[in-house]
Amino acid sequence: MGDYVRQLPHQGSRDMARRPSAIMRLHIDIPLLLLLLVLSVYGLLVLYSASGQSMEAVYRQGRYLGLAFAVMLLVAQINLKEFERWAPWLYIGGVALLVAVLLVGVGAKGAQRWLQLGGFRFQPAEVMKLAVPLVLAWFLAGRVLPPRFFAVLGALLLLGLPAGLIVVQPDLGTSLLIASSGLFVLFMAGIGWRYIFGAVVLAAASAWPMWMYGLKEYQKQRILTMFNPESDKLGAGWNIIQSKTAIGSGGWDGKGWLQSTQSRLDFLPESHTDFIIAVLAEEHGLQGIILLVGIYLLILLRGFWIGAQAQTSFGRMMAGSLTLTFFVYIFVNMGMVAGLLPVVGVPLPLVSAGGTSVVTLLAGFGVLMAISTEKASATT
Amino acid sequence: MLPQFDLKDPQLESRVYGTRTILAIGLVMILLGVILMRYYTLQVTEYEIYRTQSERNRVQLQPLPPRRGLIFDRNGVVLADNRPSYMLSIVRERVPDLEATLADLQAVLPVSESDLETFRKKLYRSRPYEPVPLRFRLTEEERARLAVNRFRLPGVVVEAQLLRHYPHGELFSHAIGYVGRINEQEAQELDETDYRGTFHIGKVGVEKYYEDLLHGDVGYQNVESNAHGRVLRVLERFAPVRGKDLTLSLDYDVQLAAFEALGDRRGAVVAIDPRTGGLLALVSTPGFDTNLFVNGISSSEYSALRDSLDVPLFNRAIQGSYPPGSTIKPFMSMAGLLSGLVTPQSTVADPGWYSLPGDSRKYRDWILRVTGTGHAARVDMKMAIAQSCDVYYYDLARRLTIDRMYDYLHPFGFGDRTGIDTTNERAGVLPSTRWKRAAMAQSWYPGETLSAGIGQGYMLASPLQLAVATSVMASRGQRYVPRLVMAVDGEPVAPPVLEPIEAPAEYWDAIFDGMREVVHGQRGTAKALAKGIAYEMAGKTGTAQVIGIAQNAVYNEDEVAERHRHHGLFIAFAPIEDPTIAVGIIVENGGGSSAASPIARAVIDTWLQVEPTDG
């Protein structure tokens, strides 16, 4: 009796370790979920200030986040094999929608990016953010890795078609993001260094012709503005001057929560969407930036760890690509607001206000969770 | 995962993936490091630069223009005050496309070419964050339309300001002048700091002469404003010091009496208190509405004023130069007495004409045309003044000679600016041999001395000079620099005193007797004035011939004839025992002094009613 009682906790804990827990059965990666929640709360705090202390904006973003987290958990339930099976169909559907956008799409400011479905507007490019890495991972997983020449060629064609369709909308920024998510799949698949160096050389060589013939005037302007914002203080340079001012004036400590003058006095444009990091930097200083980057780094490391633990090449490639794409968002957004990169419409993941981007992003994390719990679910 | 052609090697795949993951993590760390370095540079290394810039964004120094001093008459009647008015300004820094905004604005409210021109000139000189005024005096409706369109007009601001207002318009136009928008030349000469935020400056008259006192000192405030230029709160404030209020010695009722008595005739009235040298009235007709000038008069209105035959912009009271005619005679009398050439009792034979020794030319007395003979066989000083005997003064002038005449008349204020505290005063002409050599490079002819002796020929005086000379006479030689302002912020200002004219009492009495006879005597030239008068008035009539425009104006016979008539002049002071008012009056083309003398009666009546004679 005494023995039994003494043994019970030990027995229980071993049982717990061996048997898939309720959490595992729900396909939830706890560290990832916690990190994403912490990030979302931090984001809402900044948003409250950046939106001019509007609870309404916070509630709206909260509802988007709720929806996105639900989507993430839902996606996490899907068996990885199902992703592999549906990847080509998702891809084909996505490409069809992109073609539809060009034919019957609606848009604003000279770009044609949306499909109108009843009262609902829908941007097919968002689908491709997941469909492209999925289809490439599916395509390469079925082949010998590292991929051979024809596999690389096939992958590039799969990647080039939607990227090309999005470029002509035109939406160069999204196109580059989608292309990079595909290239990350290739990279994680172990594509040969000669391809990588070749691509770098090709990119460098094509810079001049791209500048001369490929880029539109406004795109060139953005790049020029990045190098010299003072050249057009009131026009294109305004955003960068004001965001740098916001960031710089935050210093190490920051001005304090709700004390951002650049944002409160409307000097900072897009302060609650693409430029929200400037508000964070102004109010919370470099400390706040380091905290944010720290959270992001932990999420990235968790993503890489999930990839390393994955059971299949498909899972590994997907995890690697999703994680690297997530990083690209962070890098591009933080870089552009700080004047390191030209201004492109990339939100700061889980901090910038917005609905679609958050849902797409967390759907990706749903895939990551599915990968992370793949082994456990296999044992059920 | 089925192998297709080659065999898949899961272990190789896993190893390759591990390598790539490490590479990826390395790349991510490096790039995040780059990002952090960038934020470190902005937030730590360049912190001070951006801190300053953010403060400059947030906080702006705004000038607070001082309130311009008010102007009152001697009894506190407001002659110039400031009323709130709305103006539209543009902040260059906040306007993305100035031309587009200006075009948009013109669709919302009218903006004239001259508004635009002034705006552009001002824009060129001002700092990018300073509001530059474009339109003044916005109407209620224009403000409403601007409010509706505000969202598409970035950088356009509507501000309230105090604007000069002249409640009595034309009545005091020449007495106090007016303010107008600062023009380019003025802007260059002004103290830039002091006039930051001030858009108006005294242009003419008291408004200009006392600009320094009226303007006050500019203040500043640090305000927090948003990117659209809207002020959210005031952080710090240094209040402006308002301009000083001026109390003029002018009396509203006397001014009004003079203005109404002149009616629609061209002329001028100046009234002075001989005890202080303070002006009681300064009227020149026609006048004009000074309010028109405050915000830039339209060119059509301006050319109407400028081109009018009646020259309303011309201040006859101080700029006008008229032959004083017979009004010079009392002063000539004093010259005769002081020189010892005549006594109150000495007489001159009066056949009705006079000739220089050895010259056959007859200088006629005006009475010759009327009665065919002189005023009397022999004429003394009293009769000479009362009946305006020319022969008496021909004789005196000849014996006095022109240069001694100059010496005796000059202290009365002829031939020089009186130094009144307003702008554009003219000196007139008190001729002398020196003057003629300098002005005309000719020598003096004896006949010209005779003309000068009765106030004709080269001699010219403004109504102000006539009034000042009469005031000196009335106060028995006390001389003041005439003043319009008698108190600044309630503090009385002492009038500048000049060296008096020393003369025995009987000299003054003799001249006063003659001047009393002008009004109260049986044969006085202004005896009509005595009717129903309750006090004793001393006066002197005058008539000035109009010459010189006969050759070129023949279109309208009536009009030309009217403009050929003689100017009527009159000087007077009252009450004789203790004078409190002295006036100088001219009515252009009035025909004769009878046009001017009733005005003196009206003005003096009003003043004596207002200010009963006291000790």
Side-chain angles (χ1 to χ4, degrees):
Chain A
M1 175 72 177
D3 254 346
Y4 180 67
V5 171
R6 237 179 288 127
Q7 234 173 314
L8 194 61
H10 178 65
Q11 187 74 32
S13 71
R14 284 190 63 174
D15 246 25
M16 292 271 271
R18 216 179 290 150
R19 204 179 60 198
S21 65
I23 295 290
M24 282 303 255
R25 263 185 272 119
L26 283 171
H27 300 273
I28 295 172
D29 187 82
I30 290 295
L32 194 54
L33 181 69
L34 286 179
L35 286 167
L36 290 173
L37 283 173
V38 168
L39 182 59
S40 300
V41 171
Y42 193 12
L44 287 176
L45 283 175
V46 178
L47 178 65
Y48 178 63
S49 174
S51 62
Q53 304 180 28
S54 153
M55 272 321 283
E56 199 194 326
V58 172
Y59 285 141
R60 187 169 54 234
Q61 189 61 21
R63 281 195 297 274
Y64 283 139
L65 282 168
L67 175 71
F69 272 97
V71 168
M72 175 180 81
L73 295 179
L74 221 64
V75 169
Q77 309 309 312
I78 301 170
N79 196 305
L80 264 196
K81 293 215 161 47
E82 299 297 318
F83 285 116
E84 281 198 80
R85 189 180 317 152
W86 285 102
W89 302 110
L90 192 65
Y91 176 83
I92 290 166
V95 169
L97 286 172
L98 284 176
V99 172
V101 164
L102 291 180
L103 298 178
V104 296
V106 292
K109 294 184 199 164
Q112 201 162 318
R113 297 175 185 173
W114 289 277
L115 275 181
Q116 189 89 34
L117 295 170
F120 185 71
R121 266 189 170 188
F122 170 71
Q123 202 170 344
E126 289 293 326
V127 176
M128 289 322 253
K129 286 181 180 171
L130 269 184
V132 165
L134 278 173
V135 83
L136 260 77
W138 161 80
F139 178 74
L140 294 174
R143 282 162 178 76
V144 171
L145 294 179
R148 307 283 162 83
F149 176 74
F150 283 104
V152 172
L153 194 66
L156 287 177
L157 285 175
L158 282 173
L159 163 65
L161 179 62
L165 286 170
I166 295 168
V167 164
V168 296
Q169 284 182 353
D171 188 351
L172 186 61
T174 307
S175 173
L176 287 175
L177 284 171
I178 287 170
S180 61
S181 72
L183 293 174
F184 291 143
V185 176
L186 278 168
F187 177 78
M188 297 314 284
I191 186 177
W193 286 106
R194 60 181 185 280
Y195 294 111
I196 294 172
F197 286 127
V200 169
V201 169
L202 198 69
S206 65
W208 179 248
M210 267 299 274
W211 179 262
M212 290 305 285
Y213 308 108
L215 290 178
K216 300 214 160 40
E217 203 48 51
Y218 78 95
Q219 293 166 332
K220 287 191 208 174
Q221 197 55 52
R222 283 186 187 177
I223 292 169
L224 288 175
T225 302
M226 175 189 71
F227 289 117
N228 184 16
E230 302 291 321
S231 66
D232 187 8
K233 271 185 169 173
L234 290 167
W238 172 272
N239 292 12
I240 286 306
I241 292 173
Q242 297 304 342
S243 69
K244 279 164 72 179
T245 303
I247 295 168
S249 66
W252 170 255
D253 299 328
K255 294 176 184 171
W257 190 46
L258 307 180
Q259 302 299 314
S260 154
T261 57
Q262 285 290 103
S263 159
R264 181 162 56 82
L265 302 176
D266 291 346
F267 285 96
L268 188 66
E270 303 289 340
S271 63
H272 62 292
T273 55
D274 290 356
F275 281 74
I276 199 164
I277 185 87
V279 180
L280 188 153
E282 189 182 2
E283 295 193 344
H284 307 292
L286 190 58
Q287 294 173 352
I289 292 292
I290 290 172
L291 175 65
L292 181 81
V293 170
I295 297 171
Y296 279 140
L297 185 60
L298 290 177
I299 292 173
L300 290 167
L301 290 176
R302 185 66 189 173
F304 285 125
W305 188 86
I306 288 171
Q309 296 295 308
Q311 299 297 298
T312 61
S313 289
F314 176 79
R316 278 197 289 267
M317 284 185 281
M318 272 312 287
S321 168
L322 288 170
T323 307
L324 279 170
T325 308
F326 182 68
F327 167 73
V328 166
Y329 276 78
I330 299 163
F331 180 74
V332 170
N333 181 275
M334 289 186 74
M336 89 179 179
V337 176
L340 272 184
L341 297 171
V343 174
V344 284
V346 174
L348 186 65
L350 288 176
V351 181
S352 289
T356 325
S357 62
V358 170
V359 173
T360 315
L361 198 74
L362 285 186
F365 279 104
V367 176
L368 262 182
M369 287 194 176
I371 296 166
S372 98
T373 52
E374 189 187 15
K375 178 176 70 172
S377 62
T379 61
T380 349
Chain B
M1 305 316 132
L2 295 171
Q4 287 171 332
F5 301 108
D6 290 299
L7 278 174
K8 278 179 74 73
D9 182 346
Q11 278 195 335
L12 174 70
E13 285 180 20
S14 190
R15 209 172 59 238
V16 166
Y17 183 84
T19 321
R20 289 292 157 104
T21 300
I22 288 163
L23 281 172
I25 290 173
L27 191 69
V28 162
M29 298 288 242
I30 289 168
L31 290 177
L32 282 180
V34 169
I35 289 284
L36 281 178
M37 276 309 296
R38 176 65 174 178
Y39 280 76
Y40 178 86
T41 307
L42 291 176
Q43 299 192 281
V44 178
T45 317
E46 296 174 356
Y47 169 68
E48 283 303 327
I49 299 170
Y50 292 110
R51 176 87 208 168
T52 312
Q53 196 171 331
S54 152
E55 280 300 295
R56 228 215 71 189
N57 263 347
R58 180 175 79 99
V59 178
Q60 269 156 349
L61 199 65
Q62 275 192 343
L64 296 172
R67 188 213 70 175
R68 193 173 178 84
L70 307 182
I71 302 177
F72 303 102
D73 92 333
R74 65 188 304 126
N75 298 312
V77 175
V78 175
L79 304 183
D81 62 1
N82 307 297
R83 304 232 165 139
S85 167
Y86 291 87
M87 69 174 180
L88 184 156
S89 306
I90 290 180
V91 184
R92 179 70 191 89
E93 195 179 59
R94 312 245 190 270
V95 182
D97 181 350
L98 184 65
E99 293 312 314
T101 302
L102 285 176
D104 282 353
L105 259 180
Q106 272 160 313
V108 176
L109 78 176
V111 180
S112 76
E113 277 303 314
S114 71
D115 285 337
L116 274 177
E117 200 181 311
T118 338
F119 168 76
R120 284 185 206 281
K121 279 183 194 154
K122 261 199 120 113
L123 189 71
Y124 181 73
R125 278 199 315 269
S126 42
R127 317 249 161 94
Y129 55 85
E130 280 180 331
V132 180
L134 174 63
R135 267 284 319 275
F136 291 88
R137 229 180 250 177
L138 299 177
T139 64
E140 200 74 24
E141 194 198 326
E142 285 168 341
R143 275 163 57 208
R145 266 186 284 167
L146 278 172
V148 170
N149 289 287
R150 192 194 175 97
F151 70 96
R152 57 187 193 90
L153 296 169
V156 172
V157 289
V158 173
E159 289 171 308
Q161 58 155 188
L162 287 171
L163 210 57
R164 201 55 151 177
H165 177 251
Y166 302 104
H168 310 294
E170 198 179 343
L171 178 57
F172 283 89
S173 52
H174 290 297
I176 56 179
Y178 54 84
V179 300
R181 280 196 241 167
I182 295 172
N183 65 31
E184 196 140 7
Q185 194 194 336
E186 287 160 341
Q188 278 165 10
E189 291 164 5
L190 285 173
D191 182 311
E192 208 189 327
T193 313
D194 224 20
Y195 278 80
R196 204 156 275 275
T198 301
F199 302 105
H200 294 84
I201 189 170
K203 297 276 186 180
V204 191
V206 169
E207 289 274 30
K208 180 173 184 181
Y209 192 91
Y210 287 101
E211 175 63 28
D212 288 349
L213 292 179
L214 288 166
H215 178 255
D217 295 323
V218 72
Y220 286 98
Q221 62 181 6
N222 280 319
V223 297
E224 186 178 273
S225 61
N226 68 13
H228 316 298
R230 179 184 290 242
V231 173
L232 301 178
R233 61 188 167 124
V234 175
L235 303 171
E236 218 177 355
R237 195 182 147 91
F238 307 96
V241 178
R242 65 164 182 83
K244 292 187 166 41
D245 295 342
L246 301 183
T247 303
L248 305 188
S249 53
L250 295 177
D251 185 290
Y252 177 83
D253 293 313
V254 176
Q255 178 89 358
L256 184 65
F259 184 77
E260 287 181 340
L262 274 166
D264 57 5
R265 290 172 296 181
R266 299 179 301 280
V269 175
V270 177
I272 298 181
D273 185 339
R275 297 167 299 179
T276 61
L279 268 82
L280 301 173
L282 190 147
V283 178
S284 169
T285 55
F288 55 95
D289 183 2
T290 37
N291 290 307
L292 291 176
F293 285 82
V294 175
N295 267 325
I297 187 167
S298 76
S299 59
S300 65
E301 280 172 322
Y302 183 71
S303 50
L305 284 175
R306 188 192 52 206
D307 300 338
S308 165
L309 272 179
D310 293 340
V311 281
L313 296 178
F314 183 64
N315 190 346
R316 291 169 165 80
I318 59 168
Q319 291 176 280
S321 295
Y322 305 93
S326 300
T327 57
I328 202 70
K329 286 172 181 169
F331 311 104
M332 279 296 289
S333 300
M334 182 52 83
L337 291 168
L338 286 175
S339 64
L341 292 172
V342 296
T343 66
Q345 293 75 36
S346 64
T347 58
V348 169
D350 179 14
W353 53 270
Y354 189 80
S355 64
L356 288 168
D359 188 346
S360 61
R361 181 177 167 188
K362 285 181 177 177
Y363 291 85
R364 291 161 204 281
D365 195 310
W366 63 273
I367 196 85
L368 200 60
R369 273 206 318 265
V370 185
T371 62
T373 177
H375 296 276
R378 295 200 72 84
V379 174
D380 66 0
M381 181 178 285
K382 185 174 172 182
M383 184 187 282
I385 295 173
Q387 298 185 24
S388 201
C389 175
D390 288 345
V391 171
Y392 185 93
Y393 292 98
Y394 288 146
D395 183 59
L396 174 57
R398 181 186 64 78
R399 292 194 290 147
L400 196 55
T401 72
I402 189 67
D403 287 338
R404 288 177 73 198
M405 195 189 291
Y406 178 93
D407 293 340
Y408 287 113
L409 293 183
H410 191 256
F412 281 100
F414 293 105
D416 251 329
R417 292 189 180 87
T418 62
I420 189 175
D421 47 350
T422 186
T423 57
N424 298 337
E425 188 190 7
R426 294 258 179 92
V429 176
L430 180 60
S432 65
T433 52
R434 200 179 61 226
W435 169 83
K436 195 176 176 194
R437 262 199 311 276
M440 313 177 78
Q442 285 175 7
S443 55
W444 187 264
Y445 300 112
E448 292 170 339
T449 307
L450 301 194
S451 296
I454 60 162
Q456 302 278 4
Y458 301 118
M459 193 182 283
L460 294 172
S462 68
L464 173 68
Q465 283 174 314
L466 287 178
V468 166
T470 309
S471 170
V472 173
M473 180 66 76
S475 61
R476 293 170 182 258
Q478 297 306 309
R479 295 166 68 221
Y480 300 98
V481 175
R483 293 279 101 172
L484 279 160
V485 169
M486 71 175 197
V488 174
D489 265 352
E491 289 289 313
V493 182
V497 182
L498 302 174
E499 202 180 313
I501 296 173
E502 303 284 359
E506 59 263 35
Y507 289 5
W508 300 109
D509 290 340
I511 296 166
F512 281 25
D513 275 354
M515 289 180 77
R516 180 192 290 113
E517 282 291 296
V518 169
V519 178
H520 299 279
Q522 285 292 309
R523 296 183 64 187
T525 49
K527 62 176 190 277
L529 289 191
K531 197 177 165 193
I533 199 165
Y535 52 89
E536 281 201 311
M537 185 202 288
K540 183 67 197 85
T541 55
T543 302
Q545 291 160 11
V546 176
I547 44 167
I549 52 168
Q551 293 93 326
N552 49 26
V554 277
Y555 295 110
N556 183 332
E557 183 123 33
D558 288 339
E559 175 74 1
V560 170
E562 199 266 337
R563 285 178 189 278
H564 268 118
R565 285 185 210 150
H566 297 328
H567 294 326
L569 292 96
F570 194 68
I571 60 170
F573 62 87
I576 290 176
E577 313 78 59
D578 186 15
T580 59
I581 182 169
V583 297
I585 297 167
I586 182 152
V587 177
E588 284 186 12
N589 314 113
S593 62
S594 59
S597 53
I599 298 172
R601 176 73 194 273
V603 168
I604 295 173
D605 278 2
T606 309
W607 171 247
L608 294 181
Q609 265 166 29
V610 172
E611 178 112 330
T613 328
D614 51 37

